[in-house]
Amino acid sequence: MKQKLTMLLVSGALLLGFTVPAAAEESDGMRIALVGKSAGNAFFEVAAVSFKEEALRLGAAVETIYPEAATADAQIRILEEVIKSHPDALCISVNDAAALEEVLHRVRESGIRVSSFDSAPEPDSREIFINQSPAPDVARVLLDAVCEITGGEGEWAILSGSGTASNQNAWIEEMQTLMEEEEYERLTLTDVVYGDDDPRLCTDLTEKLLKEHPDLKVICAPTTVGIASAAKYLQENASRCLLTGLGLPSEMIGFTGDTEEFCCPCFFLWDMKELGRLAAYATVSLIDGSFSGKAGDLLRLEDTEYTVLPASDGGSEIVLGPPVRITSDNIIEMADLYQ
Ligand code: RAM
């Protein structure tokens, strides 16, 4: 078993240039491949910390694998390797649910259990999705923040991740639906752009948005990479345009505050520790057969009980909880929590 794992690590390292986590070599028991959207995105590294801790506690070794870019092709190449090395389970956040459907079917057919978190695969490509927060709740807090920052009227734009990401697309769709409500009717969504969770592209798109829309009041970036890149650009250029979205507290220190020197009055995230922990617990429970992932099933994680619900896409999911608002009041505390 150890030999197989080493082969995957070596081939993965050659293919993608990622490093071998120490934890992956510490167990001869269950093995899990944890696949994020892309390398260099700290969101997945933070989620992996509590994922690995929980998995190790339960006797499973974790290999984290990050594709070189947030694309379907890069993830497909990784999944081909995963099929060959055959861990007990795969837990994935997908860049493109439709494009990954075929390879994920083959992963499942090979006997590897498939859980997912953050960005959901198609219902029949997964056994369970750990949903960080319901999409309507995420959309509501973001739109309310845009409303609050603009004073309820004016132009705003969205700087998203990749155009095929299920999570960002669900949040954007929900925001567009909510825009029909009366309280948002004086807000104008001027543009939606996709920075592919690539810091350079996100920076260029921020510049482009400001040039093309000189009256832009707020950029909403529902991606940790997008918001961090936009924050740097806006603040370095002393832009009057402000910022909100979904961010990692550690990356938003120095940009978050209510006074003029800061570009971001508030942003949101969810409980990253619990996201990783719950995803690991669900994955190990699939492997050991104590959990089916089907609607109605239960997961008991210490004193919290999670029920599997039917997801809006027809699959099943466990919902973690509501998004958390982060401001200058709690950013330091939150950054300490999610290292
Ligand atoms: C980025 C990713 C991830 C998303 C967070 C908020 O890091 O796109 O999928 O959940 O932002």
Side-chain angles (χ1 to χ4, degrees):
M1 175 168 298
K2 203 160 206 166
Q3 196 186 349
K4 263 202 223 160
L5 177 64
T6 311
M7 276 169 60
L8 171 67
L9 295 172
V10 170
S11 58
L14 285 176
L15 184 68
L16 303 158
F18 43 71
T19 52
V20 178
E25 298 187 32
E26 282 166 19
S27 167
D28 263 336
M30 295 172 273
R31 293 185 298 126
I32 302 171
L34 177 63
V35 177
K37 279 183 173 176
S38 60
N41 181 345
F43 175 89
F44 293 102
E45 285 157 21
V46 171
V49 173
S50 53
F51 189 104
K52 281 184 200 165
E53 270 171 22
E54 181 65 12
L56 261 188
R57 188 182 74 79
L58 300 167
V62 178
E63 185 203 356
T64 48
I65 312 176
Y66 303 117
E68 71 273 21
T71 63
D73 283 354
Q75 279 189 325
I76 289 170
R77 283 197 291 278
I78 282 172
L79 294 184
E80 298 291 359
E81 293 296 318
V82 166
I83 291 172
K84 283 186 211 151
S85 76
H86 210 273
D88 299 287
L90 161 77
C91 181
I92 187 166
S93 165
V94 299
N95 288 319
D96 183 335
L100 287 169
E101 197 170 4
E102 191 273 330
V103 69
L104 280 171
H105 282 182
R106 283 190 286 117
V107 171
R108 290 191 66 183
E109 273 162 19
S110 78
I112 299 169
R113 310 304 298 259
V114 177
S115 64
S116 55
F117 75 115
D118 181 58
S119 182
E122 295 290 351
D124 55 359
S125 309
R126 68 178 197 247
E127 293 177 79
I128 188 69
F129 172 51
I130 308 300
N131 184 353
Q132 54 273 51
S133 226
D137 295 6
V138 175
R140 176 72 71 184
V141 293
L142 292 177
L143 203 51
D144 280 346
V146 171
C147 208
E148 190 182 309
I149 298 168
T150 54
E153 60 182 333
E155 292 183 10
W156 68 291
I158 294 175
L159 167 59
S160 189
S162 81
T164 53
S166 354
N167 53 346
Q168 269 92 16
N169 284 347
W171 301 326
I172 294 171
E173 242 172 64
E174 291 286 347
M175 280 196 267
Q176 283 167 330
T177 306
L178 290 177
M179 286 283 286
E180 285 158 25
E181 292 182 8
E182 210 183 318
E183 62 181 300
Y184 309 116
E185 68 184 5
R186 286 176 302 137
L187 289 174
T188 309
L189 177 60
T190 53
D191 220 336
V192 182
V193 294
Y194 297 91
D196 293 345
D197 280 346
D198 171 351
R200 176 167 292 215
L201 181 58
C202 291
T203 306
D204 291 349
L205 287 172
T206 304
E207 184 178 15
K208 189 165 176 271
L209 281 174
L210 296 174
K211 279 208 181 105
E212 288 179 1
H213 309 287
D215 295 326
L216 196 62
K217 282 183 157 179
V218 175
I219 293 174
C220 175
T223 137
T224 57
V225 180
I227 198 172
S229 308
K232 281 192 200 79
Y233 186 88
L234 293 175
Q235 224 159 279
E236 276 169 18
N237 291 281
S239 173
R240 276 182 302 140
C241 178
L242 295 174
L243 182 66
T244 190
L246 302 173
L248 269 183
S250 55
E251 295 184 332
M252 293 300 288
I253 292 175
F255 302 106
T256 307
D258 279 327
T259 50
E260 267 194 4
E261 70 207 91
F262 300 109
C263 64
C264 181
C266 68
F267 64 96
F268 301 84
L269 199 65
W270 33 81
D271 185 339
M272 291 297 291
K273 274 201 167 157
E274 191 66 0
L275 179 63
R277 207 165 77 105
L278 183 55
Y281 191 79
T283 308
V284 171
S285 304
L286 278 176
I287 299 172
D288 72 18
S290 59
F291 176 61
S292 70
K294 297 203 181 354
D297 207 350
L298 291 177
L299 269 189
R300 279 186 200 89
L301 197 42
E302 286 170 9
D303 46 2
T304 315
E305 194 169 80
Y306 293 95
T307 305
V308 180
L309 303 168
S312 58
D313 64 1
S316 63
E317 67 179 15
I318 290 178
V319 177
L320 179 66
V324 179
R325 181 180 169 99
I326 301 161
T327 64
S328 55
D329 292 340
N330 60 353
I331 191 165
I332 302 292
E333 180 195 333
M334 299 292 282
D336 278 352
L337 270 178
Y338 307 145
Q339 290 292 349

